[in-house]
Amino acid sequence: MTIYNHILTQDDFVGQDELSYPFEERGLQFGDGIYEVIRIYGGRYYLINEHVERLYRSAAAIKIQVPYKKEDLYAKLDELLEKNQVTGDAKVYLQITRGSAPRDHAFPDEIEANLYAYVKDLPRPEEKLKNGVTTITHDDVRWDWCYIKSLNLLGNVLAKQAAKEKDSYEAILHKDGEVTECSSSNAYLVKDGKVYTHPAKKNILHGCVRMRVEAFCQQENIEFIEETFSLEDLQDADEVFLSSSTSEVMPILKVDELIIADGKPGPVTRTLQKCYEQDAGLPEEACLFSTAAAE
Ligand code: PDD
């Protein structure tokens, strides 16, 4: 999948070959930084405000100064798509680290943040959106501040790898049996037509798509309940699904050996998938869940 050549940095745009860092870089040595993954459909950002706001919140939480004023960052992100002539479905990966400095755990006195953002093609995972995915469960061994979208992802990486080794798409994370979220997405359970998900506390990432799922539920008169559910609750769930900028709203059909309900994507998940396509402004021919396509 193509990575487009023009890369945004804290100073301006560079070509891929021109981007280099000293090995004493705090993102590399400490994971001392933050990031965002922003979805693009048909060459246009989806939920850009939500991502930029969260980026600034994450930066403030770990005392990193974003090297651009907010309005300038918006302009640069637009320029990133223009310069690369992005017209299709893609994603932007943007990261900011505290900067480059001799290794020392404490922050150096004078340091400037390093930023890079690049665009990569990303088709929608159509087959999985239609047919659903399987998952495993995994201990949530991460730190307490998962609302910060930090580069420290070892807990997430190990959980995702465990899923991959079981031919599964995702790992549902739990603390003492209470589900928090997934390794790179938010997790939901549907029971009696109501959607349950972990409250937006400090121990989960406040997903941009999660915010939209809440809005879709409101719009569709589906009760959205921010209450933790347990691994046990999964036993008699009607539906389970996950959400993220790259996975959209994705049906989960199996958790470990447990088949959810009848093992097919359920009606509430389908409704939310339809809402997602409309919200993302997808053209009719690209929609998988419009009435015509669903029949
Ligand atoms: N992951 N929870 C975790 C731990 C995540 O890493 C993500 C996003 C989400 C969903 O957030 P959003 O709806 O804003 O994408 C929830 C991105 C896609 C990633 O790390 O690649």
Side-chain angles (χ1 to χ4, degrees), residues 137-154:
T137 55
H138 198 279
D139 265 347
D140 189 346
V141 299
R142 304 171 304 161
W143 73 332
D144 290 338
W145 288 359
C146 295
Y147 74 103
I148 300 168
K149 204 162 170 56
S150 105
L151 296 179
N152 283 274
L153 288 175
L154 208 41

Side-chain angles (χ1 to χ4, degrees), residues 43-280:
R44 292 166 58 173
Y45 287 113
Y46 177 49
L47 306 181
I48 182 74
N49 295 339
E50 287 80 354
H51 286 285
V52 169
E53 288 301 325
R54 188 172 62 193
L55 179 75
Y56 279 82
R57 280 202 305 276
S58 295
I62 63 166
K63 301 181 180 153
I64 282 182
Q65 181 80 40
V66 178
Y68 288 110
K69 278 196 253 156
K70 222 182 260 181
E71 65 263 32
D72 295 336
L73 183 63
Y74 276 111
K76 290 289 181 196
L77 287 173
D78 282 340
E79 214 180 322
L80 180 64
L81 298 192
E82 281 158 26
K83 269 192 186 300
N84 285 302
Q85 300 182 312
V86 180
T87 54
D89 295 346
K91 66 178 173 184
V92 162
Y93 176 84
L94 182 162
Q95 77 166 43
I96 305 175
T97 74
R98 198 174 305 282
S100 311
R103 186 174 183 276
D104 180 4
H105 283 65
F107 308 164
D109 291 335
E110 305 246 326
I111 189 161
E112 280 174 24
N114 289 327
L115 176 152
Y116 72 71
Y118 64 91
V119 197
K120 193 170 178 178
D121 279 334
L122 184 71
R124 299 179 67 206
E126 292 192 0
E127 188 273 328
K128 292 186 173 68
L129 289 170
K130 279 193 234 162
N131 300 326
V133 296
T134 62
T135 59
I136 62 157
T137 55
H138 198 279
D139 265 347
D140 189 346
V141 299
R142 304 171 304 161
W143 73 332
D144 290 338
W145 288 359
C146 295
Y147 74 103
I148 300 168
K149 204 162 170 56
S150 105
L151 296 179
N152 283 274
L153 288 175
L154 208 41
N156 311 60
V157 165
L158 293 176
K160 186 76 104 188
Q161 177 61 21
K164 187 178 166 189
E165 287 170 10
K166 291 262 158 78
D167 287 326
S168 283
Y169 183 75
E170 248 296 24
I172 298 181
L173 305 180
H174 64 93
K175 283 215 157 113
D176 302 321
E178 296 289 313
V179 172
T180 47
E181 58 180 330
C182 297
S183 76
S184 64
S185 50
N186 289 112
Y188 310 78
L189 176 150
V190 183
K191 184 70 190 163
D192 299 330
K194 297 171 188 166
V195 172
Y196 294 82
T197 196
H198 191 288
K201 293 198 178 146
K202 283 191 168 176
N203 59 340
I204 66 159
L205 186 75
H206 305 175
C208 297
V209 180
R210 181 186 181 283
M211 284 168 64
R212 297 311 298 151
V213 167
E214 181 174 9
F216 302 155
C217 285
Q218 235 160 36
Q219 178 191 312
E220 299 293 324
N221 285 320
I222 298 166
E223 228 180 299
F224 181 85
I225 303 172
E226 294 188 271
E227 222 174 82
T228 46
F229 55 91
S230 66
L231 294 180
E232 237 171 36
D233 293 330
L234 292 169
Q235 301 280 345
D236 58 0
D238 296 330
E239 302 175 36
V240 181
F241 66 93
L242 58 83
S243 79
S244 83
S245 299
T246 48
S247 296
E248 306 186 359
V249 174
M250 179 78 77
I252 295 175
L253 307 186
K254 203 167 157 226
V255 182
D256 295 324
E257 295 313 310
L258 174 74
I259 293 175
I260 304 299
D262 63 357
K264 295 193 187 112
V268 172
T269 309
R270 282 290 190 244
T271 300
L272 297 171
Q273 289 184 300
K274 204 159 133 182
C275 291
Y276 181 98
E277 289 185 335
Q278 283 162 4
D279 198 57

